[in-house]
Amino acid sequence: MDDNTTLSTRMPWTSLATVVGVTALLVAALLGTVSADRAALVGAATGVLLALSLWLSGWDRWRAVGTVLASILSLPVAVGLSVASAGAVVSLGAELFPVSSQTGIRPAVVTLLSQVFVVLGCLTAVFGASAATHGVVDTDRVGTYGGVVVRTTVVPFAVALALFARGAVDYLQSNAGTPGVQQLLGEALTQVLGPVFDPVPGRTHIAIFSLLLALAAAALARGIDSLPLAELVPETSEAPDIKGPLAAAERTLRWTGRLALLVAPVAGLFELGLGQESVAELLPRVLYDLIVAVTAAPGLRGLLWWLFLGATAVSLAVWFLRRTVQSSADRVGTVLAPYVGGGVITLAAVAVAGPAVGAIETALRATPAAAAVEQFLVPILDVYGAETVTLVLIVLALFAVISATGQLWIALVTSYLRERTAGVTLAAAGLFGASAFAATLDTPTWLVLAGLVGAVVVWDAGSFGTTLGREVGTGAATRRTELVHTGGTVAVGGVGAAATLGLSGIAQGSIVVEPSVAVAGLVVCLVAVLALVAAIR
Amino acid sequence: MHRRVRRWSGGLAAALFLVSVSLLTAEPLLLAATAIPLIYVAYGALSRVPAGTDLQAARSVSDAQPTPGEPVEIELTLTNTGSGSLTDVRVIDGVPEELAVVDGSPRLCTSLRPNESATLSYAVMAKRGSYTFDAAAVRVRTLSASDEVTVDLPVAGDGTLTCSNTVSEVPMADATLPRAGTLPTDTGGSGLEFHSTRSYQPGDPVNRIDWRRYAKTDELTTIDYREEQAVRTVLVVDARPPARVTPEPGFPTGAELSAYAAERLFDALSRTSVVASVCAVGLAESDVPGGLGPDGLAWVDASGGHAAAHARQVFDSVGRAAARQSEADAAGDADVSGTKSRQPPGDDTQVTTADGGTVDDPDLLAVLARLPPTAQVVVFSPAADDWPVSLVSSLAVRDYPTTLVSPSLARGDSLGAAVAGVERTARLQRAELSGATVIDWDLDSPIDVALRASLADLFSV
């Protein structure tokens, strides 16, 4: 029997129903033990959205549409991930703190962390089970999705950076008069930008003006060169010949730029070395006045600056169009889609910035971190504005998604997660972890044991079903075998649960060692887990 | 082959994880709960496939000698003849690679108690040739799926599927012709039907002298009968790439069905002493043993020696060309849905239209150049493009009695199949308008029925 058949690797319906059903039941029961209801629900929904995003990013039928949707969905995924982790911490922090005595801090921290881990475990379980339904967790797809999220993040990141830089410049310039570092930075900025955009009137600024002129002329020449103007004119005898004038204009602009570039250092030497009086004496009065009027006019400089920007934008647009017309529409759509999604996310962030920041501020004020809100958040909002802060938060959340996707990709590449069973392994791991941490909360023992056994059943049914689907295919009748196999696993789990209940009476009070010994034991256990996992792989 | 699967080893890591969380949170229940993953580890380690495992398999084929394009039901029965129950038995029947499974699955996974049987049934599409089934691959796993044994299990019962062209019934067996030929002509001579009388000429056969007239008038006259000449029949098989379309994967292509129909007719004609030549159009040099003729046609003349054997080679070549095309399509991941015709890259697309008037297709020109001056032509083509219509029109212009036999490939209700069906019907109508007899062979009825109709028309019997 060949293991490398080309059959579908999807698992049969019975196994799939077992995986999805057991996961759904256990997640619902485990999330019921968490007091941060909203974070728990958002976490579960985020798991489904993440699986949907992965499926969309590998949607072959409508690749561009799938990429756009996956790109746009990265915002709710990022927000959901943040709410499920940071949001749960904030919500539980407000609920559990302040504590009445110092001895209450540790249990409160353990409870908070356990609840957060339960939420994250359930998120992972929901994601894994959803992904297992279509087998969407594979190296290529996760890599593609990671690329989509990275490219999606580029736009809000760039906008946030620009807004941040503008806010910083405005703030520093507005604080140039105050003492301290801000003054130094503000003065430095004023000294750099002032001569360029706001020259001192009544004297010549030939050097800087020449530099601006050179930049604008070179950019214009390049822009004209890149535009297909001559090609757009019809090739008839009546059509005007614009090739000659265009070439002449381009040549003139290039020479103007070169000349301006030559003039700049010489003029700079004269202006700095001789001083304005000597320059005024050297030149005829009319000429000097003309040069002063031209080189010190802020409007003219603004025009040159915008010409430079416009011509550069045209050159880039033409270059981009020349590249894209050589590719297929679907390919272009796939490449551009994440940037479009990033643009949509940026616009959405700007649109909801005020209410979003208000909600975050209100939530934070209810926690022990209320003082920090007053100390840090409010001044930051005053300086940078709600839009910038919202965009920065979204970019950070997107970075979290990129990080999670990257970890998943590394796990797949290094075969710590096998592609065939990645979904069910994640679901089982999430359930197992959530059940283990739920044991530290006021969770009934039966639920903890059911969670632990259920996690094993989910993994076993999923991996067994995947093997079955690969070897026999989903078209064959396999239900009987699947039910017998799962029944065996549940029965063995029942024996394990009974053994646990028997042992728990003996283990009661067994962990009464010193904290330092417990920590040492913990470290040993963690190292052993890592070594064992590495050895198994 | 015996193999251990280490699928429960992760339980150790899970147990250590529980110990870690237990230490972190001082929760004794988790320490006790390590029993759960550890018991699974033990479960996987201790489970073994029982030693006395024994299985037997038997196969039955519903029709061991089907006709091409006919689904054949196959059943494989697996019986646990050992003493222990088998919780996970997986079996894959050894279906010959050439046969496509069109219904059901040749794979089964089940649990079997002692002396219990399980049957898997599926259908394959019959293709021309003889195919032998391989042994069934069987894999037995334990309940924990951590131990498995894989064997090739010999299967009792039917092991071969033969789909040959042996003519069990000659379509026109009741029309054996005791004459030199079958085409009535307008000239007098020897024959059966009275044509005219003429003056006796020395050398005329004595049995054709009208003795009654001689008795009455004392003049010798000779009776001429309507002469019946043997004409040549040329069977043209359209095996060009556009004709190698198939409605479903595994189903015979249009070219293969055309060749099959031509072969049936060739066999029938051979028995009725009609002189038949065979010509296949669109084959590659490598498809035909001995290569093609200089004009690019695979032509078998009735006058040559071993004509029947050569004709069979040509029919086989059509099957080879179709197989080559399907392999190339599979390599190129081509979509084979619907009956839409496909032109291979680089193929000469200068196909004349039926009403175009000009003939510049090299295959068509070659056929026209090669045809004898008096011949009846039977064209076999799925009419997936305009080429057969152009050929039929060109033949009609040259006064060749022509018949077009076209297997209908349209299957399913898909839009592509409907469009292809409409296009084909239009082509057949155009062929009929140009003066040819059109036989639309619906694959649900045997080709013999269609051939009877065509033979009746062709030979005026």
Side-chain angles (χ1 to χ4, degrees):
Chain A
M1 196 176 283
D2 186 11
D3 281 346
N4 300 316
T5 55
T6 54
L7 281 174
S8 159
T9 53
R10 289 181 61 181
M11 65 181 88
W13 288 110
T14 310
S15 296
L16 191 58
T18 308
V19 169
V20 174
V22 173
T23 306
L25 281 176
L26 287 175
V27 164
L30 288 169
L31 287 183
T33 64
V34 178
S35 49
D37 299 338
R38 198 178 297 172
L41 286 176
V42 169
T46 305
V48 178
L49 279 180
L50 190 56
L52 179 65
S53 303
L54 273 180
W55 180 77
L56 283 170
S57 60
W59 193 18
D60 284 334
R61 192 179 171 87
W62 300 99
R63 197 169 275 276
V65 176
T67 310
V68 167
L69 291 176
S71 168
I72 292 173
L73 275 181
S74 61
L75 177 63
V77 168
V79 172
L81 208 58
S82 308
V83 169
S85 49
V89 170
V90 169
S91 165
L92 292 167
E95 185 187 316
L96 297 171
F97 292 95
V99 289
S100 53
S101 64
Q102 200 165 1
T103 51
I105 293 178
R106 189 176 175 279
V109 169
V110 167
T111 306
L112 189 149
L113 287 178
S114 293
Q115 294 210 25
V116 171
F117 282 129
V118 168
V119 171
L120 290 178
C122 288
L123 187 157
T124 312
V126 171
F127 165 64
S130 310
T133 56
H134 281 84
V136 294
V137 184
D138 59 58
T139 313
D140 290 345
R141 209 182 278 253
V142 172
T144 307
Y145 179 65
V148 168
V149 181
V150 166
R151 280 179 281 151
T152 303
T153 312
V154 165
V155 178
F157 181 74
V159 174
L161 203 65
L163 287 175
F164 181 80
R166 197 186 69 179
V169 168
D170 288 348
Y171 173 66
L172 291 172
Q173 283 186 330
S174 68
N175 287 282
T178 59
V181 181
Q182 292 167 356
Q183 180 196 3
L184 288 176
L185 280 171
E187 281 178 357
L189 273 171
T190 311
Q191 279 183 358
V192 170
L193 298 177
V196 178
F197 293 107
D198 194 16
V200 181
R203 53 165 295 180
T204 60
H205 299 280
I206 304 170
I208 293 173
F209 183 81
S210 301
L211 277 176
L212 261 178
L213 184 64
L215 272 176
L220 267 177
R222 195 166 180 77
I224 291 172
D225 184 39
S226 65
L227 280 172
L229 294 172
E231 287 87 343
L232 290 173
V233 176
E235 293 179 349
T236 55
S237 52
E238 293 84 22
D241 179 25
I242 64 163
K243 277 187 186 172
L246 273 178
E250 194 189 324
R251 209 166 37 243
T252 312
L253 282 169
R254 285 197 191 284
W255 277 110
T256 307
R258 286 169 196 163
L259 200 64
L261 208 59
L262 279 174
V263 165
V266 179
L269 278 176
F270 268 94
E271 282 176 335
L272 290 175
L274 296 177
Q276 280 300 307
E277 291 80 12
S278 308
V279 175
E281 282 171 14
L282 274 173
L283 296 170
R285 187 71 203 167
V286 179
L287 185 61
Y288 179 77
D289 288 344
L290 184 68
I291 289 174
V292 168
V294 170
T295 59
L300 198 56
R301 294 195 170 201
L303 178 68
L304 286 175
W305 176 245
W306 283 110
L307 274 176
F308 166 72
L309 286 183
T312 309
V314 165
S315 299
L316 285 174
V318 171
W319 170 82
F320 178 74
L321 281 172
R322 281 185 199 275
R323 287 287 302 270
T324 51
V325 293
Q326 292 166 5
S327 304
S328 70
D330 201 38
R331 168 85 186 135
V332 172
T334 310
V335 171
L336 285 183
Y339 301 110
V340 174
V344 172
I345 286 174
T346 308
L347 290 175
V350 171
V352 301
V357 169
I360 292 170
E361 196 179 337
T362 311
L364 285 174
R365 278 184 195 281
T367 65
V373 172
E374 208 60 53
Q375 197 177 349
F376 296 108
L377 187 62
V378 173
I380 287 172
L381 280 173
D382 289 342
V383 172
Y384 296 105
E387 289 83 5
T388 312
V389 172
T390 311
L391 272 175
V392 168
L393 288 176
I394 283 175
V395 168
L396 289 177
L398 285 169
F399 278 152
V401 177
I402 293 168
S403 162
T405 313
Q407 288 169 29
L408 184 58
W409 185 78
I410 288 171
L412 287 166
V413 166
T414 52
S415 296
Y416 274 85
L417 263 182
R418 287 188 182 137
E419 284 190 355
R420 283 179 192 152
T421 54
V424 289
T425 306
L426 285 171
L431 279 179
F432 199 85
S435 304
F437 281 104
T440 63
L441 306 171
D442 295 332
T443 312
T445 307
W446 67 264
L447 181 55
V448 174
L449 297 180
L452 295 176
V453 174
V456 178
V457 169
V458 163
W459 171 80
D460 179 60
S463 59
F464 183 78
T466 307
T467 313
L468 203 56
R470 197 177 75 246
E471 290 183 355
V472 183
T474 49
T478 54
R479 181 169 300 164
R480 189 178 174 191
T481 311
E482 289 171 82
L483 290 177
V484 168
H485 177 83
T486 308
T489 309
V490 171
V492 173
V495 173
T500 303
L501 286 174
L503 285 171
S504 64
I506 305 166
Q508 201 69 257
S510 61
I511 305 179
V512 286
V513 291
E514 288 292 317
S516 57
V517 178
V519 168
L522 185 66
V523 170
V524 170
C525 277
L526 287 176
V527 171
V529 168
L530 292 175
L532 188 62
V533 169
I536 287 169
R537 295 293 171 194
Chain B
M1 186 181 71
H2 182 264
R3 189 166 77 106
R4 294 286 303 167
V5 184
R6 295 171 57 194
R7 66 192 297 267
W8 294 102
S9 322
L12 294 172
L16 279 171
F17 171 74
L18 286 179
V19 171
S20 308
V21 178
S22 170
L23 286 172
L24 185 72
T25 60
E27 179 55 52
L29 177 66
L30 293 179
L31 205 59
T34 50
I36 293 175
L38 290 177
I39 206 162
Y40 278 112
V41 175
Y43 171 54
L46 297 176
S47 134
R48 289 273 187 285
V49 174
T53 303
D54 194 13
L55 285 165
Q56 284 185 357
R59 186 189 296 112
S60 68
V61 178
S62 65
D63 183 1
Q65 291 194 339
T67 52
E70 182 187 341
V72 181
E73 292 285 335
I74 291 162
E75 285 193 345
L76 182 80
T77 304
L78 195 68
T79 309
N80 179 10
T81 51
S83 54
S85 292
L86 301 174
T87 54
D88 183 353
V89 183
R90 302 173 189 193
V91 58
I92 304 177
D93 198 4
V95 184
E97 276 184 25
E98 297 86 351
L99 298 182
V101 177
V102 291
D103 187 28
S105 169
R107 297 165 180 247
L108 174 77
C109 177
T110 186
S111 305
L112 291 174
R113 293 194 193 91
N115 297 318
E116 191 184 358
S117 297
T119 303
L120 74 90
S121 55
Y122 60 97
V124 294
M125 183 61 71
K127 286 173 88 171
R128 214 170 146 273
S130 183
Y131 303 97
T132 306
F133 284 80
D134 295 329
V138 176
R139 179 171 284 174
V140 178
R141 273 195 172 87
T142 58
L143 189 61
S144 68
S146 58
D147 195 34
E148 64 182 35
V149 174
T150 309
V151 290
D152 285 335
L153 190 67
V155 182
D158 299 331
T160 312
L161 184 71
T162 306
C163 180
S164 68
N165 275 327
T166 310
V167 183
S168 54
E169 176 203 3
V170 178
M172 296 304 296
D174 56 345
T176 310
L177 304 174
R179 292 167 283 176
T182 53
L183 186 71
T185 62
D186 215 15
T187 53
S190 56
L192 289 175
E193 191 184 342
F194 176 78
H195 181 260
S196 57
T197 56
R198 58 173 170 81
S199 302
Y200 174 79
Q201 289 175 357
D204 280 347
V206 180
N207 61 353
R208 281 173 53 192
I209 294 173
D210 190 347
W211 294 108
R212 290 183 183 175
R213 189 169 182 145
Y214 178 70
K216 283 183 189 172
T217 61
D218 205 22
E219 286 176 13
L220 278 172
T221 49
T222 302
I223 303 172
D224 273 349
Y225 298 94
R226 189 180 290 275
E227 271 193 336
E228 290 183 336
Q229 291 180 348
V231 292
R232 291 180 64 174
T233 302
V234 180
L235 311 180
V236 180
V237 179
D238 179 10
R240 298 166 309 113
R244 296 174 205 159
V245 287
T246 177
E248 290 169 16
F251 203 84
T253 63
E256 283 177 294
L257 288 169
S258 301
Y260 171 68
E263 192 168 7
R264 298 290 302 217
L265 184 57
F266 181 79
D267 286 345
L269 292 178
S270 303
R271 298 201 173 193
T272 52
S273 71
V274 173
V275 182
S277 301
V278 175
C279 166
V281 183
L283 294 177
E285 191 80 25
S286 56
D287 295 328
V288 187
L292 300 169
D295 51 3
L297 296 176
W299 186 284
V300 178
D301 244 334
S303 55
H306 310 292
H310 286 148
R312 214 162 298 284
Q313 272 189 345
V314 169
F315 294 133
D316 288 344
S317 305
V318 176
R320 269 196 293 279
R324 184 169 50 80
Q325 169 117 1
S326 67
E327 277 169 19
D329 285 351
D333 199 21
D335 184 16
V336 277
S337 62
T339 55
K340 206 168 174 181
S341 63
R342 287 162 291 163
Q343 291 274 5
D347 186 41
D348 186 5
T349 52
Q350 283 187 324
V351 178
T352 50
T353 55
D355 53 355
T358 56
V359 176
D360 54 1
D361 183 78
D363 289 335
L364 211 151
L365 286 173
V367 172
L368 293 176
R370 193 82 179 256
L371 283 175
T374 56
Q376 297 182 88
V377 184
V378 188
V379 181
F380 297 86
S381 169
D385 64 350
D386 285 335
W387 188 85
V389 185
S390 301
L391 176 62
V392 166
S393 312
S394 308
L395 292 170
V397 167
R398 287 159 179 77
D399 280 340
Y400 285 103
T402 309
T403 301
L404 174 63
V405 179
S406 175
S408 168
L409 296 176
R411 284 168 71 91
D413 300 326
S414 69
L415 185 63
V419 170
V422 169
E423 285 180 351
R424 178 175 166 278
T425 309
R427 288 190 192 106
L428 295 188
Q429 282 175 352
R430 290 215 304 274
E432 204 155 21
L433 285 173
S434 68
T437 307
V438 173
I439 310 292
D440 186 357
W441 173 25
D442 183 3
L443 297 188
D444 292 337
S445 65
I447 180 62
D448 293 349
V449 174
L451 288 185
R452 272 201 187 96
S454 74
L455 282 173
D457 268 2
L458 263 177
F459 305 109
S460 311
V461 177

